[in-house]
Amino acid sequence: MPSVFLNGKRVNTSEKTLFSAFPKKENTIAILNGFQISEDIELNNDDSIYIIQKGILPPRDELEAMMSARHTPAVHKILKKSKVAVAGLGGLGSNIAISLARIGVGKLFLVDFDIVEPSNLNRQSYYIKHLGMFKTEALKEQLNDINPFIEVKTKNIKISEENAVNLFKDYEIVCEALDNPASKAMLVNTLLINLPKTKIISASGMAGFESSNTIKTEKKMKNLYLCGDYTTPAEPGSGLMAPRVMVCAGHQANMILRLLLGIEKP
Amino acid sequence: MKLNGKQFPLPEAVTISDFLKSQNYPDDKVAVELNGEIISRTKFKNITLKDSDEVEIVCFVGGG
């Protein structure tokens, strides 16, 4: 008699297969151990099963369990306990923060001094309704709509050589997502020199519409990972655009995920 | 010396500061690691590179 978890709660069943125990209906989705199931399958002890009714907002306590249905259970547990700081909330930082919220990173710290402007909308994750708002607030609002079960801390401040260590000293993973090359170098140098335990996931070169395949992730130094094509600056004639910026943001977010799971290889 | 993982002939003793200049790296946009240790920009003028050194230079371009 298998004893399984249904929507996060332990239940016993005398049935041997998924759909005999929990009959398939037209408006339901069945997820077994993080994977959506359409053909019937044998049940084993301690299987994690989610039956989700389409179009119905479940109560808050069940919502979190259902959202985590698509996470690999062991992975989700680690991510929920993790924390990451994102420095700069432009095209890279806003998209990275959204990825990290979706995968359930438990604590995010978002730092930017700027407000949302019309020229940001070509690549940054903000909406017309956010124009004039601090990026920290506009992003926090979106993250809360995506995953209200994580903790989001924000700070409106321009990052400098003087404040960087104090801002990020409690974080072992810091994502550099600034725009200006001198600011990027300042933040990376300041943290590498002063916070020897901190790993930095930085970016350089993601403007224009060159091939996506030239954007890569490399471990450049002991605590420095670098994403991008390393060569294409944002300049007249080669502006920043959503697709390539998001490819680079995806590289950074995936390297952060890997580091959180203890994988140091890019 | 070894520069960014590849052998790089070093014709004469040169400071990090002068080496960056000779390779057209703007010194306010780089991070320099010398033999596994990150070097502060304020020390670029005082450190001379040797044949046995392993140097990693990351030069940032704008955009984010």
Side-chain angles (χ1 to χ4, degrees):
Chain A
M1 184 187 273
S3 166
V4 299
F5 293 94
L6 176 66
N7 292 353
K9 287 168 195 145
R10 164 96 51 198
V11 294
N12 296 312
T13 173
S14 51
E15 304 290 342
K16 288 201 167 57
T17 69
L18 177 63
F19 292 139
S20 53
F22 311 105
K24 197 175 169 181
K25 292 179 199 146
E26 216 166 79
N27 65 336
T28 62
I29 296 168
I31 294 171
L32 175 70
N33 300 331
F35 199 78
Q36 193 169 325
I37 300 292
S38 47
E39 303 289 323
D40 205 5
I41 189 168
E42 199 172 308
L43 284 178
N44 290 301
N45 261 331
D46 298 332
D47 274 347
S48 162
I49 298 154
Y50 288 90
I51 307 291
I52 295 173
Q53 293 207 329
K54 285 189 194 173
I56 290 172
L57 186 67
R60 198 181 152 95
D61 59 331
E62 270 181 44
L63 176 64
E64 185 175 18
M66 287 185 183
M67 282 174 56
S68 62
R70 264 302 173 109
H71 296 306
T72 314
V75 169
H76 181 58
K77 224 176 175 178
I78 297 170
L79 297 183
K80 180 95 185 153
K81 282 189 289 186
S82 302
K83 56 180 187 176
V84 174
V86 182
L89 306 177
L92 296 171
S94 61
N95 287 305
I96 291 164
I98 284 177
S99 267
L100 299 179
R102 287 195 192 281
I103 59 174
V105 173
K107 286 182 185 169
L108 294 177
F109 179 42
L110 314 174
V111 185
D112 200 299
F113 68 97
D114 221 347
I115 58 168
V116 180
E117 293 169 38
S119 64
N120 298 150
L121 300 185
N122 79 327
R123 67 190 189 285
Q124 307 186 13
S125 180
Y126 300 106
Y127 308 141
I128 299 277
K129 67 171 177 181
H130 294 134
L131 294 176
M133 273 173 83
F134 279 118
K135 288 183 176 178
T136 49
E137 293 306 312
L139 188 56
K140 190 175 178 172
E141 179 192 293
Q142 293 174 72
L143 299 185
N144 188 54
D145 280 345
I146 290 169
N147 186 350
F149 304 104
I150 62 169
E151 199 182 303
V152 181
K153 232 174 79 179
T154 62
K155 185 99 181 164
N156 291 309
I157 196 167
K158 193 166 170 62
I159 298 165
S160 68
E161 213 168 331
E162 289 71 39
N163 65 24
V165 173
N166 209 27
L167 275 172
F168 298 112
K169 64 178 187 313
D170 296 331
Y171 293 83
E172 292 192 356
I173 298 205
V174 177
C175 176
E176 179 281 305
L178 302 171
D179 186 61
N180 177 286
S183 305
K184 285 171 175 290
M186 175 277 295
L187 179 62
V188 167
N189 278 301
T190 305
L191 298 187
L192 287 178
I193 290 168
N194 296 290
L195 302 175
K197 275 192 186 163
T198 298
K199 291 189 164 52
I200 302 161
I201 300 85
S202 181
S204 179
M206 76 298 299
F209 41 86
E210 273 298 310
S211 168
S212 305
N213 297 336
T214 57
I215 290 178
K216 53 194 179 279
T217 304
E218 288 179 343
K219 187 175 196 278
K220 285 291 192 184
M221 297 176 185
K222 187 170 153 256
N223 285 330
L224 177 65
Y225 292 81
L226 191 66
C227 304
D229 66 17
Y230 309 164
T231 55
T232 315
E235 60 188 7
S238 172
L240 292 159
M241 284 184 280
R244 232 164 160 260
V245 170
M246 287 172 79
V247 169
C248 191
H251 269 259
Q252 286 181 280
N254 192 42
M255 192 64 237
I256 291 166
L257 168 60
R258 289 169 66 76
L259 287 171
L260 292 175
L261 298 176
I263 305 163
E264 301 213 343
K265 193 169 173 282
Chain B
M1 65 174 185
K2 211 169 185 183
L3 175 65
N4 296 343
K6 287 177 192 146
Q7 283 303 326
F8 188 96
L10 202 59
E12 52 178 349
V14 61
T15 63
I16 294 177
S17 185
D18 288 338
F19 182 75
L20 291 174
K21 237 175 259 165
S22 72
Q23 300 296 311
N24 295 320
Y25 284 125
D27 77 348
D28 63 336
K29 293 174 187 150
V30 295
V32 178
E33 191 187 54
L34 174 63
N35 304 322
E37 195 193 336
I38 185 90
I39 306 294
S40 160
R41 182 147 70 103
T42 55
K43 295 181 185 159
F44 286 174
K45 277 197 170 80
N46 310 332
I47 298 177
T48 304
L49 295 170
K50 302 184 298 287
D51 268 340
S52 56
D53 284 337
E54 285 189 25
V55 183
E56 191 68 41
I57 299 173
V58 168
C59 183
F60 292 94
V61 300

